[in-house]
Amino acid sequence: SFGLGGKLTAIFGILGLLPLVLMGFVSIYVVKITHKQDVAITERELLRQKIEETKKFIDEAVNRFKIRVTYNEKAPMIIPDQQFLMEKIFEEAEFIQEASFADLNGLETLKMSRARNDSGPLNNISDLPKFLMAKSGRSYLGPAYKTANGPMMTFSGPVLNRQGDVIMVFSGEISLSPLERILINAVLGETGYLYIIDND
């Protein structure tokens, strides 16, 4: 059996260990809080980066649909010039799936599609928002919509001559698959992920 001295030694020993145990718990708690803060900082930085990449993609698409040509007159471009420009745009911007030029009356003059060999019927788009906004000199971005080939958006913009006059409208459908690639490359720990939602 312990004598009084042994009991006191044991009590003081336990009391001496108590601050160490408490410090251990406090250290673990502080590390946990710090880790959470580090993760939150990493998440915010990743979100900021992906927002910038998404904005860059959208800005590039907007710029593709706002065209300035070397025409001096206010007349529409001739068909061979439209064809040349359309082929160049399709070659440089793979995300554009379908596009058309329309005159200022809203009548399509040339159409091209990656999905079809033929251009499809030329339509009157004079009452559509994509035409009306581009005719006024502004860019149009429609809502995202789903297709069998993934999400798409409608874009349009003015075709401007040297003087800055709107002489035609360029509109089309773009694939949002590049955004998917941007998000897939984002890693939030082992199970985290990013997603984009529309206005609704």
Side-chain angles (χ1 to χ4, degrees), residues 95-129:
F95 53 82
I96 297 178
Q97 300 302 300
E98 185 174 288
S100 69
F101 284 106
D103 63 24
L104 294 184
N105 294 317
L107 301 174
E108 289 182 323
T109 54
L110 180 75
K111 185 182 282 185
M112 187 178 284
S113 172
R114 292 190 194 277
R116 296 188 309 266
N117 290 333
D118 64 326
S119 62
L122 298 175
N123 301 311
N124 183 336
I125 60 170
S126 60
D127 59 344
L128 299 180

Side-chain angles (χ1 to χ4, degrees), residues 18-34:
L18 193 58
L20 292 175
V21 171
L22 285 173
M23 285 300 292
F25 280 122
V26 168
S27 296
I28 290 169
Y29 179 74
V30 168
V31 166
K32 202 170 180 181
I33 292 295
T34 304

